[in-house]
């Protein structure tokens, strides 16, 4: 009897850790924001630009990052990416001025940019189609559950050891993990631990071998970019990702400062309160992924099963505007949690990259998808910095709510039937 392995679940656990470290290193600055702005004498506009620096670099690096993800071996490329962004994180702990910190945030954005296209490619390689939404939900939940439990820890580290120690510790963890990843990861056909039965399950279920030199994946030409930039369905998910990103980027940048400076919470209280919406988002993304896969297994069309949780989630995200009308910490946290639960529901959107993208261009399509979504990381923090100049955060919250509504509309009116775009 042939032994059936479940190596793919170990791979998924490793991607989960990648995501936790990724989001820890992009969001640790939000925990330190109040102390950094005080020590370095930074006003809200400079803080807005500082928050946006990561998003600017991350977004504009997505297309080249996705292109490299199609050409290079995931094992070494991912390890290098983790090591580089982690080293830049450590160096942040030494800065004494705005410009150097701004440059480091740009570098972290560049080095993290290939990570999600690679995550999507790994899941597409390792999982059959009917397990893909739940797999994407599990690794995506790393950005929420990691921050839910880590935010109070990071706040405590800063409280007792200072904001510089925050960067030393989080960056050091990433350096160690980057080396572990390189030793651990293999593609399915290169793995010595996978059984023939599991490999057949993956291949028969639609797992795609899109490694370099497979199916012409490495033969880039400008027509490829034209395909992924002119298709209406793909633009539907791109704009949807921008709307989704507006909410999450608020939570990753301005949220802790919002609680402290605009809702009157102290640092430790804000750390615990800030963690609660991330827990709600964690449950949202898991519920979304497993319900979506269950609907597919029970015969629902991919159009219904994949789009429904995303649209419902984006509509729920608009409820963030309720925080404008309350000041009590409980009710502020309530509206933020409902909105971020919706953001979690919508966060399986990467499954539509797997289902819609030309199979030869998974990395490139994922790069464009994350590029458009990442533009929110550039636009939203800076826009909030300007909107709150007068001391009122309400216009900024309304701005985030409207962008979530725009994202829902793009999935409703642009995506249409879920079916793979052909390269032609």
């Amino acid at each position: 009897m042939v032994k059936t392995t479940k190596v793919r679940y170990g791979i998924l656990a490793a991607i989960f850790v990648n995501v936790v470290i990724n989001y820890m290193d992009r969001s640790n600055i939000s925990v330190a924001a109040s102390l950094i702005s005080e020590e370095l004498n930074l006003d809200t506009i400079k803080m807005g630009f500082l928050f946006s620096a990561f998003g600017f670099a991350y977004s504009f690096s997505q297309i080249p990052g996705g292109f490299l993800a199609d050409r290079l071996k995931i094992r070494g490329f991912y390890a290098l990416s983790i090591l580089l962004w982690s080293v830049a994180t450590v160096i942040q702990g030494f800065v004494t001025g705005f410009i150097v910190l701004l440059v480091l945030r740009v570098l972290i954005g560049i080095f993290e940019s290939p990570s999600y296209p690679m995550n999507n490619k790994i899941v597409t390689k390792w999982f059959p189609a009917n397990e893909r939404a739940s797999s994407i939900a599990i690794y995506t939940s790393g950005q929420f559950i990691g921050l839910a439990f880590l935010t109070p820890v990071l706040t405590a580290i800063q409280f007792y050891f200072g904001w510089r120690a925050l960067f030393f510790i989080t960056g050091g963890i990433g350096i160690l993990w980057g080396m572990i990843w390189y030793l651990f990861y293999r593609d399915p056909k290169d793995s010595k631990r996978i059984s023939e039965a599991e490999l057949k399950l993956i291949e028969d279920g639609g797992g795609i071998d899109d490694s370099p030199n497979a199916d012409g994946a490495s033969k880039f030409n400008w027509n490829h970019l034209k395909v992924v930039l002119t298709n209406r369905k793909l633009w539907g998910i791109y704009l949807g990702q921008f709307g989704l990103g507006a909410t999450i980027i608020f939570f990753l940048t301005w949220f802790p400062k919002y609680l402290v400076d605009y809702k009157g919470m102290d640092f430790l209280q804000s750390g615990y309160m800030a963690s609660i919406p991330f827990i709600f988002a964690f449950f949202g993304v898991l519920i979304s992924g497993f319900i979506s896969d269950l609907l597919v297994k029970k015969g629902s069309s991919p159009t219904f099963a994949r789009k429904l949780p995303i649209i419902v989630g984006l509509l729920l995200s608009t409820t963030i505007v309720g925080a404008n009308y309350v000041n009590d910490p409980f009710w502020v946290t309530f509206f933020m949690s409902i909105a971020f639960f919706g953001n979690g529901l919508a966060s399986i959107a990467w499954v539509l990259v797997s289902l819609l993208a030309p199979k030869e261009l998974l990395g490139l399509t994922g790069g464009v998808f994350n590029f458009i979504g990442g533009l929110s990381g550039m636009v939203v923090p800076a826009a909030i910095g300007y909107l709150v100049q007068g001391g009122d955060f309400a216009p900024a919250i309304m701005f985030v709510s409207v962008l979530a509504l725009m994202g829902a509309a793009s999935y409703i009116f642009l995506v249409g039937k879920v079916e793979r775009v052909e390269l032609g």
Side-chain angles (χ1 to χ4, degrees), residues 280-346:
F280 274 77
F282 166 73
F283 285 111
V285 70
L286 289 185
I287 289 169
S288 178
F290 285 100
I291 286 179
S292 181
D293 275 351
L294 180 64
L295 288 171
V296 170
K297 291 173 182 177
K298 289 188 173 294
S300 294
S301 69
T303 301
F304 178 78
R306 302 314 192 190
K307 287 172 60 177
L308 179 66
I310 297 171
I311 293 169
V312 170
L314 285 165
L315 292 175
L316 278 177
S317 292
T318 65
T319 62
I320 195 173
V321 75
N324 281 345
Y325 305 100
V326 295
N327 287 306
D328 184 273
F330 172 84
W331 288 109
V332 172
T333 305
F334 172 82
F335 283 110
M336 293 291 170
S337 297
I338 295 300
F340 217 23
F341 174 79
N343 190 269
L345 284 177

Side-chain angles (χ1 to χ4, degrees), residues 388-415:
V388 303
Q389 280 186 91
D392 183 6
F393 217 95
I397 297 295
M398 179 64 73
F399 174 62
V400 172
S401 179
V402 169
L403 290 179
L405 183 62
M406 179 208 74
S410 73
Y411 276 101
I412 294 170
F413 298 110
L414 294 180
V415 174

Side-chain angles (χ1 to χ4, degrees), residues 238-251:
Y238 299 158
L239 294 175
Q241 191 69 358
F242 184 92
L244 179 75
T247 302
I248 194 168
I249 203 65
F250 162 72
F251 280 94

Side-chain angles (χ1 to χ4, degrees), residues 61-368:
S61 300
Q62 283 301 307
I63 293 176
F67 173 61
L68 289 174
D70 279 332
R71 295 179 65 90
L72 301 178
K73 290 287 188 179
I74 293 293
R75 179 191 176 202
F77 187 37
Y78 214 148
L80 179 64
S81 178
I82 296 170
L83 289 171
L84 288 174
W85 89 57
S86 298
V87 169
T89 298
V90 170
I91 297 173
Q92 285 178 115
F94 295 101
V95 301
T96 57
F98 171 71
I99 296 300
V100 175
L101 189 54
L102 189 74
V103 170
L104 288 168
R105 295 303 297 173
V106 168
L107 290 176
I108 292 171
I110 292 170
F111 297 145
E112 286 197 6
S113 63
S115 57
Y116 262 74
M118 286 191 286
N119 292 341
N120 191 57
K121 282 171 62 67
I122 293 167
V123 166
T124 306
K125 287 172 179 283
W126 273 95
F127 285 85
N130 64 3
E131 294 180 0
R132 212 162 285 160
S134 53
S135 301
I136 289 171
I138 289 170
Y139 81 66
T140 302
S141 72
Q143 69 193 48
F144 302 124
I145 196 62
L147 292 174
F149 289 108
L150 286 176
T151 298
V153 175
L154 297 180
T155 304
I157 290 171
Q158 176 184 262
F159 184 80
Y160 291 108
F161 303 105
W163 64 267
R164 296 180 186 278
L166 189 62
F167 294 116
F168 297 149
I169 292 171
T170 53
I173 291 170
I175 291 170
L176 177 62
W177 178 253
M179 293 185 286
I180 293 172
W181 170 268
Y182 184 77
L183 295 173
F184 172 78
Y185 181 76
R186 300 290 188 279
D187 284 344
K189 290 186 176 179
D190 297 328
S191 175
K192 295 180 179 179
R193 295 177 294 124
I194 192 172
S195 67
E196 288 295 329
E198 185 178 13
L199 187 60
K200 186 175 188 302
L201 172 70
I202 294 167
E203 291 176 343
D204 291 349
I208 296 174
D209 178 15
D210 57 357
S211 55
N213 301 319
D215 296 322
S218 64
K219 299 176 182 177
F220 176 82
N221 62 58
W222 287 105
N223 185 58
H224 293 171
L225 192 58
K226 179 181 177 182
V227 169
V228 300
L229 287 177
T230 58
N231 184 271
R232 177 180 59 84
K233 291 179 183 294
L234 295 180
W235 268 103
I237 63 173
Y238 299 158
L239 294 175
Q241 191 69 358
F242 184 92
L244 179 75
T247 302
I248 194 168
I249 203 65
F250 162 72
F251 280 94
L252 294 178
T253 56
W254 282 98
F255 184 44
K257 188 172 176 64
Y258 166 73
L259 295 180
V260 173
D261 294 354
Y262 297 90
K263 293 299 182 181
M265 301 183 195
D266 61 42
F267 284 116
L268 287 179
Q269 183 186 25
S270 72
Y272 290 110
M273 290 297 183
S275 70
I276 294 172
F278 286 100
I279 295 173
F280 274 77
F282 166 73
F283 285 111
V285 70
L286 289 185
I287 289 169
S288 178
F290 285 100
I291 286 179
S292 181
D293 275 351
L294 180 64
L295 288 171
V296 170
K297 291 173 182 177
K298 289 188 173 294
S300 294
S301 69
T303 301
F304 178 78
R306 302 314 192 190
K307 287 172 60 177
L308 179 66
I310 297 171
I311 293 169
V312 170
L314 285 165
L315 292 175
L316 278 177
S317 292
T318 65
T319 62
I320 195 173
V321 75
N324 281 345
Y325 305 100
V326 295
N327 287 306
D328 184 273
F330 172 84
W331 288 109
V332 172
T333 305
F334 172 82
F335 283 110
M336 293 291 170
S337 297
I338 295 300
F340 217 23
F341 174 79
N343 190 269
L345 284 177
S347 292
I348 64 163
W350 272 98
V351 74
L352 291 178
V353 178
S354 294
L355 294 172
L356 292 175
K359 66 179 183 178
E360 303 90 347
L361 303 177
L362 284 166
L364 183 62
T365 306
V368 175

